Amino acid sequence: ARDKTLCVDGLQHGQKYRITLREGLPGSDGKRLPVADNRDIEVPNRKPALAFRGAGYILPRIGTDGLPLRSINLDRAKLQVLRINDRSLVEKIYFGRISQQLSDHEVGEILDRSGQEVWRGEMAISNSRNQAVVTPFPIDAVLGKLEPGVYIAVASTEDIKPGGWDHKATQWFVVSD
């Protein structure tokens, strides 16, 4: 108990519960509950979330399962794959921008100045309510053979409304020859 809040452990998202506060339960003021008190509560569903499961670079090999995309309470994800121009790569490394999460604004900046979009599409996600689900984004199957270089996979969804500066699920990866 904290002030006027009673914390209850072991509850699950998306469930309804009936909790009984038993007669004699002590209050913070030293008084005891004179009679049992029943309360109906509902734990809301988890907020939709989307993130790539890796940090930094990954090196996809032929035949890999793909980039692991972690989601909660989502059925679909929009995906975009960008390639950074070789000339722009040194600048990204110098300013420490490489491997960082990107906002809509930064994706637009890359497309305008230092890179190109190589693929855009959607992917179904096997949703398990209130559970984290990892769905591989099959880079090899979707994009085929990629030229050597630095790529960025960006994932978003209509269920999560980021602003222009909010970060999206981002995974930088390298294809090497």
Side-chain angles (χ1 to χ4, degrees), residues 25-32:
L25 180 71
S28 61
D29 59 0
K31 294 182 182 176
R32 296 193 174 271

Side-chain angles (χ1 to χ4, degrees), residues 62-79:
I62 294 176
T64 60
D65 291 335
L67 299 176
L69 184 61
R70 184 178 182 270
S71 63
I72 298 172
N73 291 339
L74 295 170
D75 296 315
R76 300 196 67 70
K78 293 181 179 182
L79 291 135

Side-chain angles (χ1 to χ4, degrees), residues 81-92:
V81 178
L82 313 173
R83 183 174 190 273
I84 300 290
N85 296 334
D86 294 342
R87 282 184 260 142
S88 302
L89 192 53
V90 173
E91 176 188 342
K92 298 285 184 212

Side-chain angles (χ1 to χ4, degrees), residues 5 56 99 110:
T5 303
S99 82
I110 287 172

Side-chain angles (χ1 to χ4, degrees), residues 131-146:
Q131 300 295 317
V133 174
V134 176
T135 306
F137 171 45
I139 291 284
D140 291 345
V142 172
L143 283 93
K145 185 175 175 169
L146 293 172

Side-chain angles (χ1 to χ4, degrees), residues 6-158:
L6 181 64
C7 296
V8 180
D9 191 22
L11 306 182
Q12 295 181 3
H13 288 278
Q15 299 295 319
K16 294 179 181 179
Y17 296 91
R18 181 170 193 91
I19 294 181
T20 301
L21 303 174
R22 298 203 323 206
E23 178 183 339
L25 180 71
S28 61
D29 59 0
K31 294 182 182 176
R32 296 193 174 271
L33 195 61
V35 293
D37 185 12
N38 293 317
R39 300 287 173 125
D40 292 323
I41 63 167
E42 182 175 353
V43 179
N45 288 320
R46 293 174 73 180
K47 289 182 181 177
L50 194 60
F52 282 99
R53 211 171 89 187
Y57 304 99
I58 65 167
L59 302 171
R61 297 176 307 236
I62 294 176
T64 60
D65 291 335
L67 299 176
L69 184 61
R70 184 178 182 270
S71 63
I72 298 172
N73 291 339
L74 295 170
D75 296 315
R76 300 196 67 70
K78 293 181 179 182
L79 291 135
Q80 184 177 22
V81 178
L82 313 173
R83 183 174 190 273
I84 300 290
N85 296 334
D86 294 342
R87 282 184 260 142
S88 302
L89 192 53
V90 173
E91 176 188 342
K92 298 285 184 212
I93 293 170
Y94 179 77
F95 287 110
R97 303 293 304 168
I98 213 150
S99 82
Q100 291 186 347
Q101 301 293 305
L102 300 177
S103 66
D104 280 335
H105 176 76
E106 292 164 323
V107 168
E109 194 174 85
I110 287 172
L111 292 174
D112 289 343
R113 297 183 185 164
S114 60
Q116 65 189 43
E117 183 177 78
V118 295
W119 186 83
R120 176 187 294 256
E122 286 192 31
M123 178 176 77
I125 296 172
S126 56
N127 186 4
S128 181
R129 204 76 181 130
N130 294 312
Q131 300 295 317
V133 174
V134 176
T135 306
F137 171 45
I139 291 284
D140 291 345
V142 172
L143 283 93
K145 185 175 175 169
L146 293 172
E147 295 296 317
V150 176
Y151 292 83
I152 308 166
V154 181
S156 62
T157 177
E158 298 295 323

